[in-house]
Every structure is written in structure tokens, then in C-alpha cells.
Amino acid sequence: MDFSVVINEAFREIFQSMSEGIIIVEDSGEIVLANPVAESMFGYKKTELNGMPLEKLLPERYRGRHVFLRREFANNPQPRRMGVGRDLTALRKTGEEFPIEISLSYTQITGKLLVMAFISDITTRKKVEDALRQSEEQLIVYAAELEEKVQDRTKALNKTIIRLEEEVKERKKAEEDVRRSLDRERELNELKTKFVSIASHEFRTPLSAVMSSASLVKKYKENGELSKVDKHVERIKSAVHHLTQILNDFLSLGKLEEGRVDIQSENIDLDAFMSDVQEDVKAVLKEGQEFVVIFNGNAANLDSDPRILRNIMFNLISNASKYSGPHKKITLYCSGLGDQIIFKVEDEGIGIPPEDQKHLFERFFRASNSGNIEGTGLGLNIVKRYTELLNGGITFNSEYGKGSTFIVSIPLAVK
Ligand code: ADP
């Protein structure tokens, strides 16, 4: 049958001029008609496709399956797109494969099913798509590389920041060190200035006492008044003792300031230690002052530095004596308390005004009621620092006009 006869002019026009390839296939799978686009798409000459089995336009590997699909379509024909979701491949006469897209339709002519395939060569589109996908993939790779670079840079930057922060810290520390040593130097200078002024002031009284007593001793000796000589010898001894005390305080402070005081710990026999302290104290007690030691003996095993401890005790007891009148009692208590030993020096002296108490351990501080009692305001500062060197602590309580108690607590074993 010559089907071209039944195609009217309009259809022919469309058929010929469509930009898609059109192939009409009959039931048996034979091509009955192909438009010029289809012919050139597959590389055949005019009318060469007519009468050819459709499967010749497919790569061999798809042909068997295609026959099956074609039959299925014939049983239930519906216009639709072919191969949705997968790529379709066609075969040119030259044997070259190329990607296509197909829409299917059908018609019945004189009882015969004719299937129409509208075919587009999507080689160019595929190429563009592939190129796009490739550049997308490349973009992803670039993005990943970029991300990695950013991370690397961030890491490097963080390292630089940390290094800079460390440098700043080090510089600050160095500045701090310089400032501290400058402060220290200033403090030492102040100390020296203070020493000169205190020494010139404090030394004047005992020195003039020595001078006048020495002249008097000479005079009494010449006059034969020997009974009066002893009194002035005692005055000279006391003045020299006072001078020695001031010098000792300055020496101790100097050593403390320079960090030159080393702890030499040893086992201390407390009975012997107390006797030594009692002996030291005799030289400073005023007329009629009573010094009592109450030692409960339960702290027999003490490891500490006896020289420093003796200095602490001597300072506190000297003060108790100095700031009490004649005939007053001074008591030294000593007892163990857990891993500590407690020394208490109690007096019945002038006490410390409440408003002065918070400054008591400051260097050069003297309470407002110290009047013309000789002193430099250094002793308690030294005592506190010595106590701390023995890992201990010092407190006091005092009632103005009634008396004071200084309490030193140190560990049984200094570290
Ligand atoms: P100094 O006795 O040389 O002045 P200290 O540092 O030993 O120096 O004492 C500081 C001040 O504390 C003294 O000037 C005094 O006012 C007061 N003080 C110390 N011990 C006693 C005490 N036992 N009773 C009353 N006041 C005291």
C-alpha cells in the first residue's frame, strides 16, 4: 500500500519541515516513512530508510530488548516519551552511536497500527550538559580546594595569632620584671634613706648617753666616788646594747630584702632553747620585771631553725619589756597543737591603740602611744617575715592601757 497517498498536503508540509526527525513504523517493525531530518540524522539517503527494519537504527546490544518493548507498545499504545530516566542511544549508518530523545505517538490507518517516533539528536545538548557537569564537578573540586586553602590559612593565621599573643605576654612579663626590679630598687633606696635618718636620730641619744656617762665615770673616779661609777657603766652597757639592737635589725632587714636568709632546720631541744631565751631576756628586763615561762612540754619534737626562732622570741619579749613599766610580769607560753607549736608572749604593758593595730607589722610603723620609748618600727616587720620563713604565722591581741599578747604558730617540721 502506498501510504504517502493518504497523507494530505498539510501533513506532508509539516512532516517535511519539522525540525525533529520523524519515523513511522508499522506493526512488523518495518519503517514505512521517514522525514528528511530523520534520514540525515541517521545518515541515510532519501527514501533509503523506507522498508528498513527499525532495529537497524539501534546499536546491536539494544535490538532484542527493543523488539520486546515495541510489541508491548503495540498492545497498549499511548502517546508518551520513550526511555524516561535513561539515555537512549541510536546508530548512524556510519556505525557511529549518538544520543537521542524520542516521543512516541500512534495512529490507525485502515485498521493498521502505525507508530510515529519523533526523534531529536541531543548530541550537542549532551555535550553541553556533560561540559556543565564537568565544570560543576570542577567547581566542587575548586570549592573543596579553596575550603582546604582557607582552612590552611586559618590554621596558619591562628598559629601566628598564638605566637603574637605569646610574644605580647613575654613582653608584658619582661616589662613587669623591669618594673618590679625598679620598684625594688626604689624601695631599697627609700630604705637606705630611712636608715640614715633613723640612724642619725636613734644613735644620737645612746651615743650622748655613752659620752656623758663616760665623762661622769672619769669624774667620779677622780673624786673617788666609786659607788656612782657602776651606775654609769650600766648606762653605757645599755646604750651600746640598744645601738647593737638597731644595727641588728637593719642587718636582718637587709638580708631579708636581698633574700639572703637561709633556713637551717635542725631538731630543737625545747628545754635547752627556753633556757637560752631566758638568758637572753635577762639583759633587757627592766627593774623588777618578772619573766615567766610556762611550757607544757607536749611539743618536744620540733624541727626548725633555732637561730631564727630565738630571734623571733627575743624581739617579742624585748618589746613586751620595753612597752611595759617596771615590776610588770611577762609570760612566755609554749605548747603543742596538732602539727603546730604555739608560742605566746603576754605582757601587762601600755597596749596598742585600736586604730594603730592594723598597721603594726608595717615597716617603720610605730604606734601613737610609743612616745619617747626608743625604737625603729622594724622589729615586728622582721618577726613577721621570719615567722613566714618558718612556714608559720603571727597574730596578736591587745587592750589599750592593759597589755598585749603576741601569738606565733609554726609547724613542728619546717618544710
Ligand atoms: P619598735 O619597737 O622598734 O618601735 P616594732 O616593730 O618592734 O618596732 O614595733 C612596732 C610598734 O608596735 C612599736 O613602736 C609599738 O608602738 C608597738 N608595739 C610592739 N610591741 C608592743 C607591745 N608589746 N606592747 C605595746 N606596743 C607594742
Side-chain angles (χ1 to χ4, degrees):
M1 184 207 261
D2 186 0
F3 284 100
S4 57
V5 177
V6 288
I7 300 168
N8 63 28
E9 268 316 298
F11 176 73
R12 188 188 304 277
E13 195 52 39
I14 295 166
F15 186 76
Q16 295 293 335
S17 62
M18 279 279 285
S19 61
E20 281 176 304
I22 303 171
I23 292 180
I24 301 174
V25 181
E26 71 170 336
D27 225 1
S28 61
E30 199 173 282
I31 298 171
V32 292
L33 202 60
N35 73 348
V37 176
E39 286 165 344
S40 74
M41 189 186 292
F42 286 91
Y44 288 91
K45 290 197 196 96
K46 200 167 168 50
T47 71
E48 204 177 0
L49 281 173
N50 298 358
M52 217 173 80
L54 175 67
E55 273 72 28
K56 270 195 86 172
L57 301 182
L58 267 73
E60 215 167 319
R61 58 187 183 282
Y62 298 131
R63 287 180 190 167
R65 171 116 183 108
H66 191 263
V67 172
F68 170 77
L69 291 172
R70 190 160 46 69
R71 290 209 185 112
E72 257 196 354
F73 185 83
N75 289 337
N76 181 23
Q78 270 172 1
R80 64 173 173 82
R81 266 194 63 204
M82 206 181 139
V84 177
R86 66 196 155 91
D87 290 341
L88 298 176
T89 311
L91 187 71
R92 290 192 224 280
K93 189 178 176 185
T94 55
E96 181 202 352
E97 293 186 7
F98 65 105
I100 50 166
E101 226 171 51
I102 300 181
S103 290
L104 294 175
S105 191
Y106 68 98
T107 182
Q108 304 264 358
I109 293 179
T110 59
K112 265 195 172 266
L113 178 76
L114 292 180
V115 178
M116 285 182 284
F118 300 88
I119 307 160
S120 306
D121 180 344
I122 57 168
T123 306
T124 314
R125 202 179 85 197
K126 270 271 177 210
K127 269 188 192 150
V128 173
E129 275 176 8
D130 283 352
L132 264 176
R133 195 175 328 111
Q134 253 182 15
S135 55
E136 238 170 62
E137 279 167 8
Q138 229 158 20
L139 263 178
I140 290 169
V141 172
Y142 281 154
E145 280 174 5
L146 207 66
E147 171 82 30
E148 208 171 299
K149 267 186 198 158
V150 168
Q151 275 180 3
D152 285 353
R153 289 272 162 85
T154 313
K155 256 186 227 162
L157 209 66
N158 280 343
K159 265 191 206 156
T160 314
I161 290 174
I162 289 171
R163 211 192 55 233
L164 282 175
E165 278 175 353
E166 269 165 15
E167 269 178 31
V168 168
K169 239 188 251 166
E170 268 169 32
R171 211 166 291 168
K172 270 193 187 155
K173 201 181 153 287
E175 275 173 21
E176 188 66 29
D177 287 349
V178 170
R179 194 169 326 123
R180 215 173 295 143
S181 63
L182 278 177
D183 283 352
R184 241 185 107 57
E185 213 166 292
R186 199 174 311 124
E187 235 175 88
L188 281 174
N189 269 336
E190 273 171 26
L191 195 68
K192 278 182 203 154
T193 318
K194 201 102 182 185
F195 172 72
V196 173
S197 87
I198 286 194
S200 55
H201 179 260
E202 282 295 312
F203 277 35
R204 200 172 294 140
T205 322
L207 283 179
S208 59
V210 168
M211 197 60 195
S212 71
S213 288
S215 316
L216 285 170
V217 164
K218 189 169 181 260
K219 186 182 141 203
Y220 291 141
K221 220 177 112 191
E222 282 166 6
N223 296 350
E225 297 173 88
L226 291 180
S227 61
K228 289 182 181 171
V229 168
D230 282 353
K231 185 180 149 209
H232 286 282
V233 169
E234 279 313 309
R235 263 187 78 191
I236 290 171
K237 273 165 78 179
S238 154
V240 170
H241 174 81
H242 180 54
L243 288 170
T244 313
Q245 187 57 42
I246 296 172
L247 282 175
N248 281 343
D249 278 359
F250 273 102
L251 276 173
S252 303
L253 195 67
K255 278 189 185 168
L256 276 166
E257 286 298 327
E258 287 162 25
R260 279 197 294 122
V261 182
D262 289 328
I263 298 298
Q264 283 163 359
S265 178
E266 60 188 67
N267 194 266
I268 300 175
D269 174 351
L270 273 169
D271 283 319
F273 179 78
M274 289 302 179
S275 305
D276 287 348
V277 170
Q278 256 168 320
E279 204 51 45
D280 290 345
V281 166
K282 268 188 199 159
V284 295
L285 289 180
K286 284 183 192 159
E287 193 194 336
Q289 278 184 342
E290 188 190 356
F291 179 61
V292 182
V293 175
I294 299 179
F295 170 38
N296 75 3
N298 69 351
N301 209 6
L302 172 66
D303 279 314
S304 203
D305 187 324
R307 282 153 293 270
I308 291 194
L309 194 57
R310 197 160 153 181
N311 198 304
I312 293 172
M313 291 301 129
F314 183 73
N315 252 298
L316 292 177
I317 299 163
S318 300
N319 274 354
S321 162
K322 194 160 72 165
Y323 297 104
S324 301
H327 305 287
K328 296 284 184 189
K329 188 166 128 184
I330 296 156
T331 315
L332 168 65
Y333 297 89
C334 171
S335 61
L337 186 72
D339 59 356
Q340 302 278 308
I341 184 162
I342 314 287
F343 296 95
K344 275 202 267 182
V345 179
E346 186 184 83
D347 67 50
E348 303 168 341
I350 60 173
I352 300 148
E355 65 276 13
D356 289 341
Q357 293 191 5
K358 60 175 177 294
H359 301 294
L360 214 65
F361 293 107
E362 288 169 15
R363 207 158 62 191
F364 300 115
F365 181 81
R366 307 205 67 209
S368 53
N369 62 338
S370 57
N372 55 9
I373 304 170
E374 289 155 341
T376 56
L378 288 177
L380 283 182
N381 181 265
I382 293 169
V383 164
K384 184 168 160 48
R385 292 165 75 170
Y386 274 166
T387 312
E388 283 161 1
L389 280 178
L390 299 183
N391 299 123
I394 179 166
T395 58
F396 68 93
N397 43 61
S398 178
E399 209 174 325
Y400 187 37
K402 290 223 167 129
S404 313
T405 306
F406 285 81
I407 305 144
V408 169
S409 129
I410 58 164
L412 283 177
V414 65
K415 271 169 238 146

